[in-house]
Amino acid sequence: MGQPRRVYPLQNVAPNGHQGRWGNFTRGNGESAGFGPVGRYGVAPWAEDWSYLRDPKLRNDPLDILKFIPLNDQKTIWLSFSGETRLRNWYEEHPGLGASGHPGSGRFTARNLYGADLHLGSHIRLFGQLINGDAAGWNGYGYGTTYRKKLDAQQAFIEITENMFGAKTGFLFGRQQFLDAPSYLLYNRETPNVPISWNGFRYYAIWDNIRIDAYDFVQTNINQTKMFHDTEDYGTRLYGFNTTVAVPAFHIGKQQVHSFLDLFYIGYKYAGSAAAISTATGTKSGFQTRNNFGFRWYGSAPSFEYSIGADYQGGTFNYAKTDQKRSVDAYAINATFGYRKPASFLHPFIGIQTDIYSGGNSHKTTGSVGTFATPFSPQTNYLDTTTYIAPANLISMSPILSITPRHYISLRLKAPVLWRENTSDAVYSSSARYAFSTGLNGRYVGIVPQASLLIQLNQHLSWQMYGARFIVSHNLREAGAKSGSYAQSNLVFRF
């Protein structure tokens, strides 16, 4: 949503052969099918479909030889390899609004994700993916196991597929990525080296115009520092179900609109620092259960795009080492609207993004907890490139401008203006509340002008750069926060 693109006659048709055949859910980048976006390559490499390369005449790249390797004469048993190497470096003038104590930090990270997809006929496949990562730099901080990771299994699952009741169905069991949720609620842990992964089962059924998805996972425990020692964290769970409907096309003026409606329930169980709640003087630790009931309706026409969603969050907060409980009563509203001018040489996209995440009352020790929570890595650049602000007790409004003067280069500009939704609640980072929130006055938090430049050097190599300046409000500065500049560079090789 809101990503710049050049408009061709087949703009809403996935690249031939690089995405599963999911009826109307194959439109655009295919994200509505529930496996993340897929272009030539996918965020989830197992969502790519290279079976068309049974015909070697269709190869158009030297590395296509690695995407379909037949293992029997009938070419029904075949192997596909995938890989990604990412080199990321970034500079922060005052990390975490000055709260981290590492001014002028420059960090460098490298990670490798390499996988193999073994298809045993048309109904069974095994997918495995290895990961390793390292980090260096000057005045660095936060280099835990999400940054420095010896070789381990990032994903390892079996999938069984069948055509049942007119639908394409599948059952996945094992360690896997999960991307079937709005990216502003749950995504793939982009900033560190190790993406988030889950252990358990997932079932899906996809018809031409409707699909369902049910799942139950525990998070992968990556805290071990030895090779191949990742286990399961049974205290952290993700479970739920989703229904997506391909809404019949309709017209606004002469514009034909294609859209999708998501209806979802997402359950979280988690503890640790992310589960702590804010108090008048600090935080209280505990264990949380969050139940999300929501919808998202999103679609596009040749000249505009839109996305609107809402999420009610219930559940309980259990204080650590006591029997005391509090209910959860929180909500979020997310909307993006934009206009595109396909005929222009610059192919501009002009839009606005608005997000509201409820806050609570830090002075209360009883009653419901009103602070919205997204503990599982929402998409990094959806709100704020710097990641200094979390989607909790927040109102954000931002203009968006994107241009794509060539098919291989795009520029995107944003300037989110941020306020606290509730002045009785704290300001939150991506991992905890800010200590300088104590005694903070006023609602205004700041503004974050930011830009991203993507250059697709070739179909395997991309270079993306981000720049931002977090300008804190007067009240936040008086409380101890600092404004600061941020720059990031990513060089990514994929096949």
Side-chain angles (χ1 to χ4, degrees):
M1 177 64 206
Q3 294 301 313
R5 67 177 183 222
R6 289 174 66 87
V7 179
Y8 296 101
L10 297 178
Q11 63 173 10
N12 283 316
V13 178
N16 180 40
H18 304 304
Q19 192 174 45
R21 298 174 179 85
W22 306 117
N24 281 324
F25 300 103
T26 312
R27 287 189 69 84
N29 63 10
E31 191 168 7
S32 57
F35 309 117
V38 181
R40 183 174 180 87
Y41 304 107
V43 172
W46 47 266
E48 302 163 8
D49 182 4
W50 298 94
S51 59
Y52 76 102
L53 290 179
R54 281 188 177 90
D55 183 354
K57 295 179 181 177
L58 298 179
R59 294 176 183 170
N60 59 12
D61 181 80
L63 293 180
D64 279 353
I65 194 172
L66 298 176
K67 307 306 286 187
F68 188 94
I69 303 173
L71 301 180
N72 65 346
D73 292 338
Q74 294 77 25
K75 299 183 180 181
T76 57
I77 300 176
W78 55 281
L79 185 65
S80 180
F81 289 104
S82 60
E84 176 192 301
T85 292
R86 186 186 76 180
L87 305 179
R88 166 173 285 181
N89 63 284
W90 65 102
Y91 168 80
E92 299 173 90
E93 183 180 5
H94 291 295
L97 306 183
S100 74
H102 295 269
S105 174
R107 292 189 284 174
F108 178 83
T109 62
R111 78 156 181 218
N112 298 293
L113 288 163
Y114 284 79
D117 196 357
L118 176 61
H119 293 254
L120 303 173
S122 58
H123 299 291
I124 299 176
R125 64 106 168 253
L126 303 171
F127 180 81
Q129 186 183 55
L130 299 176
I131 185 169
N132 86 292
D134 208 347
W138 64 91
N139 206 12
Y141 65 98
Y143 288 154
T145 52
T146 58
Y147 284 92
R148 289 175 172 158
K149 170 58 61 178
K150 293 184 179 179
L151 193 65
D152 218 308
Q154 175 68 14
Q155 299 188 73
F157 65 83
I158 182 172
E159 181 182 20
I160 301 171
T161 59
E162 187 56 83
N163 292 323
M164 298 175 61
F165 311 111
K168 297 176 181 178
T169 66
F171 180 80
L172 291 80
F173 181 77
R175 183 171 298 173
Q176 56 195 275
Q177 285 174 294
F178 180 74
L179 298 167
D180 192 11
S183 61
Y184 49 76
L185 294 179
L186 168 69
Y187 204 58
N188 201 39
R189 194 158 58 196
E190 297 171 302
T191 300
N193 277 332
V194 183
I196 196 167
S197 68
W198 302 95
N199 304 269
F201 77 85
R202 176 183 182 182
Y203 172 80
Y204 65 85
I206 304 179
W207 291 266
D208 283 344
N209 295 303
I210 190 170
R211 70 177 186 88
I212 58 174
D213 199 347
Y215 50 92
D216 190 357
F217 299 118
V218 297
Q219 192 173 357
T220 303
N221 180 357
I222 64 171
N223 291 330
Q224 295 290 333
T225 57
K226 297 180 181 179
M227 188 180 297
F228 290 109
H229 269 64
D230 285 354
T231 56
E232 292 77 40
D233 174 9
Y234 289 97
T236 305
R237 286 185 59 197
L238 173 70
Y239 48 91
F241 60 86
N242 179 78
T243 298
T244 301
V245 177
V247 178
F250 59 94
H251 284 80
I252 296 179
K254 296 182 179 180
Q255 301 278 316
Q256 187 178 54
V257 183
H258 295 271
S259 64
F260 301 94
L261 176 64
D262 289 338
L263 302 172
F264 59 84
Y265 164 75
I266 305 173
Y268 310 147
K269 289 185 182 294
Y270 62 106
S273 61
I277 62 170
S278 180
T279 69
T281 57
T283 60
K284 283 287 186 180
S285 60
F287 178 85
Q288 296 218 35
T289 299
R290 297 264 175 158
N291 299 308
N292 298 270
F293 299 89
F295 80 92
R296 178 178 56 149
W297 181 36
Y298 58 102
S300 66
S303 296
F304 64 87
E305 298 180 32
Y306 68 92
S307 174
I308 183 168
D311 182 11
Y312 171 74
Q313 203 169 71
T316 58
F317 173 81
N318 300 65
Y319 283 93
K321 300 179 181 179
T322 73
D323 294 329
Q324 184 182 357
K325 296 182 180 181
R326 293 174 64 181
S327 62
V328 173
D329 186 11
Y331 67 90
I333 300 171
N334 310 89
T336 305
F337 300 90
Y339 170 76
R340 189 183 309 280
K341 188 172 178 58
S344 169
F345 168 76
L346 294 176
H347 302 274
F349 176 89
I350 303 171
I352 189 167
Q353 176 183 323
T354 303
D355 302 276
I356 303 173
Y357 302 94
S358 65
N361 190 330
S362 299
H363 299 279
K364 287 187 176 182
T365 58
T366 60
S368 61
V369 176
T371 307
F372 193 80
T374 54
F376 302 131
S377 302
Q379 190 175 34
T380 303
N381 295 302
Y382 177 79
L383 266 181
D384 166 32
T385 293
T386 69
T387 70
Y388 296 161
I389 291 293
N393 188 35
L394 188 71
I395 298 174
S396 172
M397 183 173 292
S398 176
I400 304 170
L401 172 63
S402 301
I403 59 172
T404 312
R406 294 289 186 272
H407 68 277
Y408 55 84
I409 186 169
S410 62
L411 174 67
R412 189 169 191 243
L413 305 174
K414 292 179 64 177
V417 184
L418 310 171
W419 300 267
R420 286 191 292 170
E421 193 275 333
N422 189 333
T423 56
S424 297
D425 201 356
V427 177
Y428 292 86
S429 73
S430 58
S431 58
R433 62 163 274 171
Y434 282 110
F436 48 67
S437 296
T438 303
L440 176 65
N441 296 313
R443 189 180 295 272
Y444 180 50
V445 173
I447 184 171
V448 196
Q450 53 197 260
S452 65
L453 177 67
L454 173 63
I455 302 174
Q456 193 70 40
L457 300 171
N458 58 42
Q459 62 189 18
H460 298 291
L461 194 62
S462 65
W463 184 23
Q464 188 157 23
M465 292 158 283
Y466 297 95
R469 174 74 179 177
F470 201 115
I471 305 170
V472 301
S473 68
H474 172 76
N475 288 331
L476 205 57
R477 186 168 60 252
E478 289 292 311
K482 295 180 179 179
S483 300
S485 298
Y486 178 98
Q488 184 189 110
S489 172
N490 300 272
L491 187 64
V492 182
F493 168 76
R494 291 188 181 94
F495 75 89

